[in-house]
Amino acid sequence: MRHLEGIEAAQRRWSVCHLRRLCHWPFCLFAVVLELGGPTPASAKQVEIATIGDFLTLGEESSSGSSLGSAGRSTGYPAVLAARLGAEAKIFNYGIPKATMRGGGIVSYSNSVQNLKAMHSFPDVVLIMLGTNDARVGYWDRREFLKGAETLIRDFHDLANRPFVAVLQPPPIYKDGASMDQHVVNDLLGSAIPQAVAASGGGVVFSKGVFNALGGTSMSCK
């Protein structure tokens, strides 16, 4: 039990550290989406953004599937995004704490209720950031990861309203630990995720923006 509590505390510190860097990021995630060809907030319809991910997306003080206004409280990045955009967009947080990109397990995002809710919301923009939990020591399987990633990406890409889909590489791990494999997060995901994006068909974007902004290969957090 103490070991698990230690892991959870480390994850909270890691999330807060990432948030501090993200708050000072010179351009928000939505700016990246617009630059890469996503829908613009100048349209008559309020842009709806679905954020798909794990504990880094969900944060500590939000509930999965919730809509975040400009004052949304959370240590996850969707709250920062909501604060930056205000009334221009509506952000829906569909994060699940221990979710994996890999399919077939009880923590697989594809098998979750939140995945169904996100798809049935028919968002204009989908931001997917998964992979950190796939890097648990002894759990990483590139083949299974690619299968799960391609399925999840296609599910959103093929929605009837054809949303703009961007897949984000998760932030780096600053220190190798007993629970997560630093090599997988910092090195292997950087090639596996774009491979899955490429296999999912045209129109889906891969971004290293979050990874680079929060330390990248230098693994710095200030």
Side-chain angles (χ1 to χ4, degrees):
M1 179 63 72
R2 289 183 179 179
H3 176 64
L4 291 176
E5 290 175 350
I7 292 175
E8 290 173 356
Q11 289 177 335
R12 287 196 296 271
R13 289 195 298 272
W14 183 29
S15 181
V16 170
C17 186
H18 288 162
L19 178 66
R20 289 171 181 163
R21 287 295 301 273
L22 188 57
C23 286
H24 297 288
W25 200 6
F27 54 91
C28 68
L29 287 170
F30 194 62
V32 176
V33 171
L34 298 182
E35 180 182 350
L36 294 173
T40 66
S43 61
K45 178 180 179 293
Q46 186 182 43
V47 176
E48 295 188 359
I49 304 176
T51 57
I52 309 301
D54 51 33
F55 71 97
L56 291 172
T57 297
L58 180 60
E60 294 181 46
E61 298 178 23
S62 58
S63 58
S64 190
S66 61
S67 170
L68 296 173
S70 59
R73 297 179 60 207
S74 171
T75 55
Y77 81 81
V80 179
L81 193 58
R84 294 287 186 92
L85 296 176
E88 294 179 346
K90 196 169 186 178
I91 315 297
F92 291 88
N93 189 332
Y94 292 104
I96 302 174
K98 299 179 180 179
T100 64
M101 187 79 88
R102 176 176 166 178
I106 59 173
V107 292
S108 168
Y109 196 93
S110 293
N111 293 347
S112 69
V113 172
Q114 291 308 113
N115 183 43
L116 293 177
K117 287 182 178 179
M119 287 194 295
H120 290 164
S121 72
F122 294 102
D124 301 300
V125 176
V126 179
L127 301 179
I128 300 173
M129 190 169 74
L130 286 163
T132 302
N133 289 310
D134 293 271
R136 294 198 308 273
V137 173
Y139 188 77
W140 173 252
D141 185 316
R142 187 183 182 93
R143 187 173 182 178
E144 291 300 317
F145 178 87
L146 290 173
K147 286 171 57 180
E150 290 170 22
T151 298
L152 184 65
I153 295 168
R154 283 200 185 101
D155 282 347
F156 284 103
H157 178 262
D158 294 342
L159 288 175
N161 65 319
R162 306 297 288 181
F164 175 81
V165 180
V167 186
L168 317 176
Q169 183 174 345
I173 288 181
Y174 305 110
K175 292 183 180 180
D176 207 0
S179 59
M180 302 293 179
D181 189 322
Q182 186 182 44
H183 173 56
V184 173
V185 173
N186 295 358
D187 302 313
L188 301 186
L189 288 180
S191 62
I193 296 175
Q195 182 179 340
V197 168
S200 301
V204 179
V205 170
F206 165 67
S207 173
K208 294 190 69 169
V210 172
F211 179 81
N212 290 334
L214 300 181
T217 54
S218 67
M219 294 177 287
S220 60
C221 184
K222 297 179 182 179

